[in-house]
Amino acid sequence: MIVGYARTSTIDQLAGFEAQLREIKTAGCEKTFQEQASSVAERKQLHAAMEYVREGDVFVVAKLDRLARSVPDLMAILQ
């Protein structure tokens, strides 16, 4: 299954959010998790997505900075 995740920091970033959703849809995502929350806040939909994906699934984000704040943060998410 192809699973997508889109995030913006605020609800004011509508154009960027919609662009991410378009890119994820174009990538063929069958299930999409989305939220508008700061990267330093609890990201409930990211946690839900991580619980949802299974071995063999493909996890898609339009931009890496929408997933992780830094390389160490990305490594923590991957583990």
Side-chain angles (χ1 to χ4, degrees), residues 51-72:
E51 291 290 321
Y52 185 83
V53 294
R54 299 289 180 249
E55 186 173 333
D57 288 350
V58 175
F59 190 71
V60 175
V61 293
K63 299 171 128 185
L64 274 178
D65 68 340
R66 302 294 82 204
L67 176 63
R69 295 181 295 275
S70 62
V71 172

Side-chain angles (χ1 to χ4, degrees), residues 31-45:
K31 174 89 173 154
T32 300
F33 293 84
Q34 53 187 297
E35 60 193 335
Q36 293 178 289
S38 170
S39 65
V40 296
E42 182 180 4
R43 294 177 284 174
K44 293 179 183 179
Q45 289 300 301

